Amino acid sequence: MKKSGNIYNLHSYWTKQPIEVVEKFIKFFTLEGETVLDCFAGTGMTGVAAKKNKRKSILYDISPICCEISRGYTTKIKDYNELKNEFIKFKNYFEIKFKELLYVNFNGKPMRVKYVLYSRDYTCPKCQTLFNTFKDEVDFLRSRKKIQDKCPKCGFNYYKEFIPKEIQIRELTLKSFPNKIRIIPPQDFISKIDGLPEIKFPFAHFFGKEPKRNYKYGIKQIYQLYSKPNRVILNEMLAYINNIKNEEIRDIFRFAFSSILFNCSMLSAYTKYENTVYRTGTYYIPRIIKDNNPLDSFYSKFELITKTLRNIYDEDVPVKIYNHSATKLKEIKTDSVDYIYIDPPYSDVINYSELNLVWESWLGFKTDNSEEIIVNKEHHKDEKFYEEKIGIVFSELYRVLKKDGVLTLIFHHPKPEHWRIIQKVTANNGLKMINDGPIQIRSKSRTHSQINTSKQVQGFLALNFIKSDTPVNLKVLSEEDYSTLINSLKDKATCEGYLDKSSIYDYIITKVYPECVLDNFTV
């Protein structure tokens, strides 16, 4: 798979399946006009793939923002001219409204602000000297010059112990053809920012384990993730969008608005290539923040969205979207679904409601995370809770799947004991795995951390199931027999061309899954 392309790039999410992958499964297992179900919809890629290929689809997600994103993704634009006219009105309004924040005078000419770079001042814990590393860090990003992470006064050099202070504006990058212009922010620009009203919206408190990394910086509410000018502009944009009378057009504007909320936050990192990057699945604030112009971000994303949604669907095939737990598929009749494609939560890997809070607080949503099927000690949810809830889901999936239907499960976890939970609930609910071997989904793209470390690229394993007429019984092996089996499978995997640890791991999972109870092993 490739984590890019027009459709993939319309909106971000934490565990998004590329459309090309979902399409391969849907086209292999279904015919035109048949019904596809995904009860962990996320951004609705299953609905997009089904609609593109003239299949009906039913999507569920407990998160209202996921349902909102799914609706945006599966919308076929009907009146493009009216949408375009509304966009022109929007653009004209905001170009006048925020002209003073969008332009800086440079050599007597107004130059448009592309983005602002922010960094932190630091206090040395040893001698209390206040200093910043902005120049060294930017030089490193642009030309890979070595950073001297040490106090300029006493030489203390354990950077992680430095205490970050208030974020400061360090540099402006202006739009210019053919080259960018970088300048130190002029005093009149800083004065304009200082004179902006102090808007504390969205005033939603972070919760859970992941956001705690930023509490030491004083970031405890959503609005604090945004610079003052971006907060002002985004609030004004949202108020305008919510007053658009045409519901379909308003939904497309909201879809575009939510798609830029992370790109225009302090999570956006400045990189060597100057593209917009933020770490998914975490609230990591980088050492150099790339504070993007939210209006330009919106304009470019809106144009991509409208162009893509205008051309992607030949027919307006129905997509039904329900915002509630996958444990109750009450809207679906028994034995009525032709194919199921699910990418459920990977146990303790990602805490969706903690991360979705940014989108949901801006758009006025709130997930009832009491039913969120994850393992999270902060939420008092352990493996037993996860097993119980995911078991109910698979019971429902068995009920609604046709007798000759297929269920595809996309899953990943580095610990076999978490795979064992999935193995147990599929077996208990009469679902029989039919893979001959591992179906691996590997990313061609590499994240920033994968490029700079030895981390494996993101990968998933696909398991296909059918309804079984007889119970699915799994053998329980002794510790010695299990160890012998794992060693034998390691040798077989290598002989069959599975050479890296990740591929051997997937090979073993696939081979053990339908026969024996999974237990811990190492590769």
Side-chain angles (χ1 to χ4, degrees):
M1 67 178 182
K2 191 177 181 182
K3 296 190 292 182
S4 62
N6 284 351
I7 297 173
Y8 192 90
N9 291 336
L10 294 191
H11 209 292
S12 60
Y13 200 63
W14 319 113
T15 55
K16 193 167 167 187
Q17 292 292 314
I19 183 70
E20 294 81 7
V21 172
V22 191
E23 281 188 289
K24 280 191 175 185
F25 284 93
I26 285 178
K27 287 193 284 188
F28 186 85
F29 286 117
T30 66
L31 301 172
E32 286 188 14
E34 292 189 331
T35 301
V36 178
L37 166 66
D38 183 352
C39 59
F40 297 100
T43 54
M45 288 299 99
T46 302
V48 175
K51 188 165 184 168
K52 269 189 73 184
N53 292 282
K54 300 180 177 63
R55 275 78 164 165
K56 292 173 285 187
S57 59
I58 307 171
L59 308 179
Y60 286 81
D61 206 287
I62 196 170
S63 167
I65 189 60
C66 287
C67 294
E68 174 105 345
I69 295 170
S70 295
R71 270 190 290 273
Y73 254 119
T74 55
T75 296
K76 179 176 173 61
I77 293 176
K78 296 170 184 174
D79 194 336
Y80 176 72
N81 288 331
E82 187 178 350
L83 181 65
K84 186 179 179 181
N85 289 336
E86 189 64 58
F87 176 67
I88 292 170
K89 283 167 55 181
F90 175 93
K91 192 172 182 179
N92 289 340
Y93 174 84
F94 281 97
E95 288 298 306
I96 295 170
K97 175 81 176 177
F98 292 111
K99 185 177 180 180
E100 290 191 347
L101 290 176
L102 297 174
Y103 290 89
V104 170
N105 191 291
F106 179 74
N107 290 341
K109 295 181 180 179
M111 300 293 288
R112 192 173 185 89
V113 176
K114 184 175 176 63
Y115 56 80
V116 183
L117 295 187
Y118 288 80
S119 75
R120 295 185 183 276
D121 286 339
Y122 291 89
T123 299
C124 175
K126 190 174 181 180
C127 70
Q128 301 302 305
T129 298
L130 182 70
F131 66 100
N132 75 75
T133 58
F134 177 79
K135 186 178 184 307
D136 287 342
E137 289 170 5
V138 170
D139 285 346
F140 173 74
L141 289 168
R142 289 173 181 164
S143 59
R144 295 299 176 190
K145 290 182 181 177
K146 189 176 180 181
I147 298 176
Q148 296 296 324
D149 281 339
K150 62 182 180 180
C151 174
K153 185 175 180 180
C154 73
F156 182 75
N157 63 0
Y158 188 47
Y159 183 84
K160 289 184 179 179
E161 291 295 323
F162 293 167
I163 303 167
K165 292 294 183 182
E166 186 177 348
I167 292 173
Q168 301 288 335
I169 299 172
R170 298 295 180 192
E171 194 174 271
L172 288 178
T173 300
L174 311 179
K175 277 188 173 181
S176 176
F177 188 82
N179 299 312
K180 297 184 185 75
I181 299 169
R182 300 185 182 96
I183 62 171
I184 296 171
Q187 187 55 50
D188 65 331
F189 182 79
I190 294 174
S191 297
K192 289 172 190 174
I193 291 175
D194 290 340
L196 290 171
E198 186 58 55
I199 297 176
K200 296 183 177 181
F201 181 87
F203 195 80
H205 288 262
F206 287 109
F207 64 89
K209 180 182 178 181
E210 175 53 39
K212 285 183 178 178
R213 65 167 66 240
N214 297 321
Y215 287 4
K216 61 187 176 184
Y217 306 148
I219 297 175
K220 296 183 179 181
Q221 285 88 33
I222 297 296
Y223 78 88
Q224 293 170 325
L225 269 185
Y226 296 84
S227 66
K228 198 174 181 181
N230 279 14
R231 200 185 316 152
V232 169
I233 294 172
L234 287 168
N235 270 279
E236 186 74 24
M237 289 169 67
L238 181 61
Y240 184 104
I241 290 167
N242 284 338
N243 284 322
I244 295 174
K245 293 180 180 179
N246 185 306
E247 184 177 353
E248 183 181 291
I249 290 175
R250 183 172 67 246
D251 286 348
I252 293 170
F253 269 79
R254 280 167 64 90
F255 181 55
F257 177 80
S258 65
S259 74
I260 67 166
L261 288 174
F262 281 95
N263 295 355
C264 298
S265 73
M266 290 186 183
L267 304 176
S268 174
Y270 181 73
T271 69
K272 176 183 179 181
Y273 305 103
E274 300 192 18
N275 55 329
T276 296
V277 174
Y278 61 90
R279 292 190 187 178
T280 59
T282 180
Y283 282 126
Y284 172 75
I285 296 178
R287 288 163 68 169
I288 302 295
I289 297 162
K290 180 173 177 265
D291 204 39
N292 290 300
N293 175 334
L295 285 172
D296 286 349
S297 297
F298 182 86
Y299 298 158
S300 60
K301 188 55 72 76
F302 188 89
E303 289 178 7
L304 176 64
I305 287 170
T306 52
K307 180 181 177 181
T308 304
L309 294 182
R310 192 183 179 197
N311 299 317
I312 187 176
Y313 304 120
D314 294 331
E315 297 177 16
D316 200 7
V317 181
V319 179
K320 295 179 180 178
I321 302 172
Y322 299 104
N323 175 211
H324 64 73
S325 172
T327 57
K328 298 174 184 177
L329 307 181
K330 58 187 178 182
E331 294 83 3
I332 307 178
K333 294 179 181 178
T334 300
D335 299 327
S336 64
V337 173
D338 298 286
Y339 176 61
I340 298 170
Y341 183 96
I342 58 167
D343 177 24
Y346 306 154
S347 184
D348 59 352
V349 175
I350 294 178
N351 300 305
Y352 297 91
S353 59
E354 292 179 14
L355 296 164
N356 289 351
L357 184 65
V358 170
W359 289 312
E360 295 191 354
S361 59
W362 275 103
L363 296 181
F365 297 134
K366 187 177 182 180
T367 295
D368 176 11
N369 66 345
S370 64
E371 288 292 308
E372 186 179 20
I373 304 174
I374 58 171
V375 175
N376 186 316
K377 291 180 181 179
E378 293 275 337
H379 301 178
H380 308 291
K381 296 178 179 181
D382 56 13
E383 285 79 4
K384 185 179 179 181
F385 171 88
Y386 181 80
E387 182 180 322
E388 178 189 342
K389 293 297 182 181
I390 204 74
I392 296 170
V393 172
F394 276 98
S395 175
E396 278 286 83
L397 294 176
Y398 183 93
R399 176 184 69 81
V400 303
L401 185 64
K402 287 183 177 179
K403 290 182 179 180
D404 59 348
V406 175
L407 182 153
T408 296
L409 167 71
I410 309 296
F411 196 77
H412 168 75
H413 203 287
K415 296 179 181 179
E417 59 262 38
H418 292 262
W419 271 103
R420 186 171 62 230
I421 295 173
I422 300 298
Q423 180 193 38
K424 182 179 177 180
V425 298
T426 52
N428 287 350
N429 287 288
L431 291 165
K432 181 181 178 182
M433 197 190 86
I434 56 173
N435 289 47
D436 288 329
I439 302 172
Q440 297 173 290
I441 301 170
R442 291 286 181 264
S443 174
K444 291 182 179 179
S445 309
R446 300 181 72 198
T447 66
H448 182 265
S449 62
Q450 287 163 357
I451 291 169
N452 291 285
T453 68
S454 58
K455 288 183 180 179
Q456 293 284 335
V457 296
Q458 188 179 30
F460 309 94
L461 192 57
L463 303 181
N464 297 312
F465 298 86
I466 57 171
K467 281 185 172 184
S468 176
D469 295 327
T470 57
V472 179
N473 295 315
L474 300 169
K475 298 175 187 176
V476 180
L477 300 182
S478 67
E479 187 176 332
E480 183 180 350
D481 288 344
Y482 187 75
S483 179
T484 301
L485 173 63
I486 296 300
N487 289 330
S488 171
L489 289 173
K490 287 179 185 178
D491 292 339
K492 287 181 180 179
T494 305
C495 290
E496 292 183 30
Y498 297 91
L499 303 178
D500 64 89
K501 287 185 178 182
S502 180
S503 294
I504 295 171
Y505 178 86
D506 287 349
Y507 180 91
I508 294 171
I509 292 288
T510 308
K511 292 298 182 182
V512 175
Y513 195 103
E515 302 293 336
C516 308
V517 174
L518 276 160
D519 204 345
N520 286 335
F521 65 86
T522 56
V523 178

